[in-house]
Amino acid sequence: MTMIMNKPVNYFVVDAFTESAFKGNPAAVCILEENHERDDAWLQSLAAEFNVSETCFVTPITGHDARFRLRWFTPSLEMDLCGHGTLASAYTLFSNGLVDSDKVEFVTQSGILTAKRVQDTSVKGGSFLVEMNFPVIPTCELYNSSDIKSMFSKALNGATIVDVRGTTKSINDKYISDEAFFNGDAKASSSDKIVVELPSWEAVTELKPNMDEISKCPGKLIIVTAAAPEGSAYDFCSRFFSPRLGVDEDPVCGSAHCPLAHYWSLKMNKCDFVAYSASRRSGSLKVRYDKEKQRVFLTGKAVTVMKGSILA
C-alpha cells in the first residue's frame, strides 16, 4: 500500500513590532501553495501546535506577483484581523525574496490590506520597516457606563477607570446601549474590541488583571491604555487581554491600534503617534490616523528567529 505524503510547508517564526529577538509579538508564518492548500481543521491544529498568539497562512494568488491570501489563527480560533501577523507575513515575503516588489496586497476576511517595505533611514545597511494600511475602528460611548466601569475595575484588580469605550464598524455610530452591548446586538467590530483608559502609565505597566473576571467582561479583546507622561518618547502605552480568544495577554496587538488611533486622536487632538506595548516582551510602533480616508497606518520592525518545514 502506497502512503501519500504531504508536501512540506515552509514556515518562519517572526517577532513583530521589535528589532530584537524574543521581544515584540511572535507569529508563525506558513507559506502555502495555491494547489496544495490544507483544510481548516489542519490550519487550526497547526496553530494550536505552534501555540503562539497568531499563526498566519500565506498563499500566492496565481497571476498576481504581489497578491496573497492571508488568514490568521490563534491557538483556538480564526481571526478577522491581525496586525502583528500581517507585519510578520509581509516581513517574511520581503526579507526572503519571495516577492519582487516593495508593496504586497493581502486578501483577507477584512478586505484587501496592503503592506509596504519602507527603508529605515535611522540606521545604515539594509534594515527596513513595514507600513500597513488598515481600516479605522471607531470608538463609541456607552449608555450608563458606571456599571461597566465597575465590572472592569473588578477585573483589573480595583484599578481606577478613567473611561470605557466600545467599538463600532461605522464612524456615524455615537454610542452603544448597555442592553445591546451585553446581548451582542450592537454593531460591534469583528473582534469586539473594548478600550479601557487608566489614569497613568504606571497603572498600565504594573497592572495585574484577574483573567477569570476579564473573561466575564463584554468584549473579546480588552485594550487597557494610558497617556504617556510629559517628556516621554511615546504618546501612549497599552496592554491587550483576550482570554476568550485563547491568549491571556497579547504581547503587542497591532489591530488594537485601529481603535486606539481613533480614541487618542479625540483625546489628544492629533493624528500621529508613537505607541508602546507594556507587556513583558514589550514592543513599539508608529501610528498614523488618516481621518479623511478613515484608515490607520501602522509601521513597525520585525526579526526572524527561526525557520523550518512542517511535515505533517
Side-chain angles (χ1 to χ4, degrees):
M1 181 176 178
T2 303
M3 181 178 293
I4 299 175
M5 300 293 292
N6 286 323
K7 187 173 182 178
V9 172
N10 292 329
Y11 76 87
F12 303 81
V13 175
V14 176
D15 289 340
F17 297 118
T18 182
E19 55 187 338
S20 302
F22 316 124
K23 297 288 187 180
N25 202 350
V29 180
C30 305
I31 309 298
L32 303 179
E33 295 183 18
E34 193 166 30
N35 56 347
H36 286 94
E37 287 197 81
R38 308 299 181 93
D39 62 29
D40 286 5
W42 185 89
L43 301 180
Q44 187 62 74
S45 294
L46 184 60
E49 186 79 5
F50 274 117
N51 199 32
V52 292
S53 53
E54 218 75 40
T55 298
C56 315
F57 297 97
V58 179
T59 308
I61 297 177
T62 301
H64 299 272
D65 292 338
R67 179 173 281 196
F68 301 82
R69 293 188 184 89
L70 175 59
R71 298 174 70 181
W72 311 277
F73 287 76
T74 75
S76 59
L77 51 80
E78 183 173 8
M79 296 292 291
D80 288 342
L81 185 65
C82 176
H84 90 276
T86 304
L87 190 156
S89 298
Y91 180 83
T92 296
L93 295 172
F94 291 141
S95 61
N96 291 281
L98 300 177
V99 61
D100 187 23
S101 173
D102 285 334
K103 180 179 178 180
V104 294
E105 292 184 341
F106 294 115
V107 179
T108 77
Q109 291 194 40
S110 292
I112 294 177
L113 306 177
T114 61
K116 292 196 308 182
R117 175 180 177 137
V118 180
Q119 198 65 32
D120 185 0
T121 57
S122 65
V123 296
K124 294 182 179 180
S127 178
F128 66 91
L129 303 95
V130 175
E131 179 191 81
M132 300 172 291
N133 180 345
F134 276 25
V136 70
I137 298 178
T139 56
C140 58
E141 298 178 23
L142 304 172
Y143 273 137
N144 303 322
S145 60
S146 59
D147 289 342
I148 295 173
K149 284 185 178 180
S150 177
M151 174 181 285
F152 277 105
S153 180
K154 181 179 180 181
L156 301 179
N157 274 330
T160 300
I161 307 296
V162 175
D163 198 2
V164 179
R165 297 278 167 149
T167 52
T168 77
K169 285 185 175 179
S170 172
I171 196 69
N172 297 316
D173 289 331
K174 303 296 186 184
Y175 55 77
I176 294 178
S177 70
D178 285 349
E179 182 179 3
F181 196 72
F182 284 104
N183 292 340
D185 296 329
K187 292 175 67 178
S189 65
S190 58
S191 48
D192 298 321
K193 298 171 174 65
I194 308 298
V195 177
V196 181
E197 184 186 351
L198 299 189
S200 70
W201 180 286
E202 291 75 17
V204 175
T205 59
E206 298 171 7
L207 181 65
K208 293 183 170 132
N210 184 320
M211 289 300 165
D212 289 338
E213 292 298 326
I214 282 186
S215 297
K216 299 175 186 176
C217 291
K220 294 177 182 177
L221 173 63
I222 311 304
I223 305 164
V224 181
T225 188
E230 188 174 349
S232 172
Y234 301 98
D235 292 290
F236 61 86
C237 70
S238 308
R239 290 172 67 185
F240 317 97
F241 305 104
S242 50
R244 289 190 187 180
L245 302 178
V247 181
D248 282 354
E249 181 169 5
D250 200 358
V252 191
C253 182
S255 63
H257 290 80
C258 296
L260 283 169
H262 182 264
Y263 181 81
W264 285 115
S265 72
L266 295 174
K267 289 264 183 170
M268 297 182 177
N269 194 30
K270 58 188 290 188
C271 292
D272 291 277
F273 308 94
V274 180
Y276 177 74
S277 175
S279 67
R280 179 182 58 82
R281 289 177 62 101
S282 71
S284 62
L285 64 155
K286 293 180 180 178
V287 181
R288 178 168 62 88
Y289 174 30
D290 186 329
K291 288 186 177 181
E292 182 179 349
K293 296 181 180 178
Q294 288 300 298
R295 305 294 293 183
V296 175
F297 295 86
L298 309 175
T299 303
K301 293 186 176 182
V303 57
T304 302
V305 295
M306 68 180 77
K307 62 182 179 179
S309 298
I310 299 155
L311 306 178

